[in-house]
Amino acid sequence: MDYYSFIAQFSYPGLFFLLILGGLGVPFFPEDLILIACGILISFNVIKPVPGIIISYSGLIISDFLLYYAGKKFGRKIVTNHRFAKILSPNKFLIIEKKFRKHSTIIMLLGRLLVGFRAQVFILAGITKVSTLKFIIIDAFGSAVVLSIMISAGYLGGKFLESVK
């Protein structure tokens, strides 16, 4: 079995699993790089575009929802933890929470688009009890934008590598 057929055999579940890990904040698996790798795999015909995009989109949405759900389920227990207080004092958290409630839509959208803020924003959305429907709609839109940009970048990069080869 050659290298490409080995990757092709495990690529869809592997892609999904890595996106879940990346979405949950595991540092070795950043979502954006995984999406770019997906685009490269599509350009090399290792995976098919439609299943790759559907699995990637599902991985993004599910990992974001898991963070939101954790915030909604555990709520204040997360922010009253002594470890969390070392990162952000309770008073500063109240200020952030007040601003988040006022501008939740734009903050959630930017949280999806900006690297490094996703997990915190989605947990905060759950803690502040943003409606599930609102969260899913905003996240679905933001995820579609990120997915389109990153997979396209990977695809174009892969095609460039092929032409250089």
Side-chain angles (χ1 to χ4, degrees), residues 10 35 38 42 63 95 105 107-109 132 149 156:
F10 299 103
L35 292 172
C38 177
I42 291 169
S63 63
I95 294 167
T105 302
I107 292 172
M108 284 189 296
L109 186 58
T132 303
I149 293 169
L156 294 172

Side-chain angles (χ1 to χ4, degrees), residues 77-126:
K77 291 178 189 173
I78 295 172
V79 296
T80 56
N81 183 305
H82 70 281
R83 289 182 186 153
F84 186 86
K86 289 179 183 176
I87 299 167
L88 187 65
S89 73
N91 291 336
K92 286 186 180 180
F93 179 77
L94 288 174
I95 294 167
I96 291 170
E97 182 181 15
K98 190 183 266 187
K99 289 182 181 185
F100 184 85
R101 287 185 190 278
K102 187 175 181 182
H103 305 289
S104 63
T105 302
I106 191 72
I107 292 172
M108 284 189 296
L109 186 58
L110 289 175
R112 169 37 69 202
L113 299 175
L114 298 174
V115 177
F117 295 103
R118 293 176 186 149
Q120 298 88 332
V121 168
F122 298 149
I123 290 171
L124 186 58

